[in-house]
Amino acid sequence: MRIILALAATALVAGGATAGLAMHKTAHHAAFQINSTSWTYLEKGKPMENSIGPDGNFVVHSGAKHIDHGTVVMKNGKACFTSAMTKEGEICWTTKPVAIGAIMKTTSDKGRKLSVKRVKYTPPKM
């Protein structure tokens, strides 16, 4: 599947906000969110850009060429992508909060490893 990640993860509008409620003595991190993020990575030596919209729809381009599109949801802390163009089914990738410009190493449930860079968000377009 076209690695999308941006994964993905790409950093995701996440962040580690703490819930500073008086009743809790420990800080809790906000759930990691992949929506409204963009990522770049190399696939088979070609540069890819994956943008994930606020609704969970993603589009992957390599330059001006449309490579893939589909949906992504967060499940158990992983970004799970389902392509509308392949029959691979859902592929989930490890994620963690990363800042724009940071690189994250991610691994799919199928054991594929990928380095993705979070970039400034660009809304997906077909």
Side-chain angles (χ1 to χ4, degrees):
M1 168 174 160
R2 322 291 191 226
I3 308 217
I4 302 179
L5 276 214
L7 255 222
T10 283
L12 321 194
V13 175
T18 57
L21 302 175
M23 295 183 290
H24 295 106
K25 294 188 180 199
T26 59
H28 298 280
H29 292 284
F32 196 59
Q33 185 50 258
I34 191 120
N35 294 7
S36 299
T37 63
S38 295
W39 307 84
T40 59
Y41 56 95
L42 291 176
E43 186 173 337
K44 298 181 182 176
K46 294 183 181 180
M48 302 289 168
E49 181 164 334
N50 180 16
S51 288
I52 303 160
D55 56 0
N57 291 316
F58 74 85
V59 177
V60 179
H61 286 96
S62 181
K65 185 176 180 182
H66 175 88
I67 302 297
D68 196 9
H69 67 275
T71 58
V72 60
V73 296
M74 293 299 295
K75 291 183 181 179
N76 299 318
K78 294 182 178 183
C80 298
F81 293 84
T82 303
S83 171
M85 296 177 62
T86 71
K87 295 181 181 182
E88 291 182 274
E90 184 177 79
I91 299 176
C92 297
W93 294 83
T94 58
T95 61
K96 65 181 179 181
V98 296
I100 293 173
I103 295 173
M104 176 183 68
K105 292 185 186 240
T106 181
T107 304
S108 76
D109 286 345
K110 295 182 178 187
R112 178 146 185 231
K113 296 183 184 298
L114 186 68
S115 290
V116 298
K117 180 178 182 179
R118 184 168 179 198
V119 295
K120 182 178 176 185
Y121 176 64
T122 303
K125 55 187 169 188
M126 293 289 268

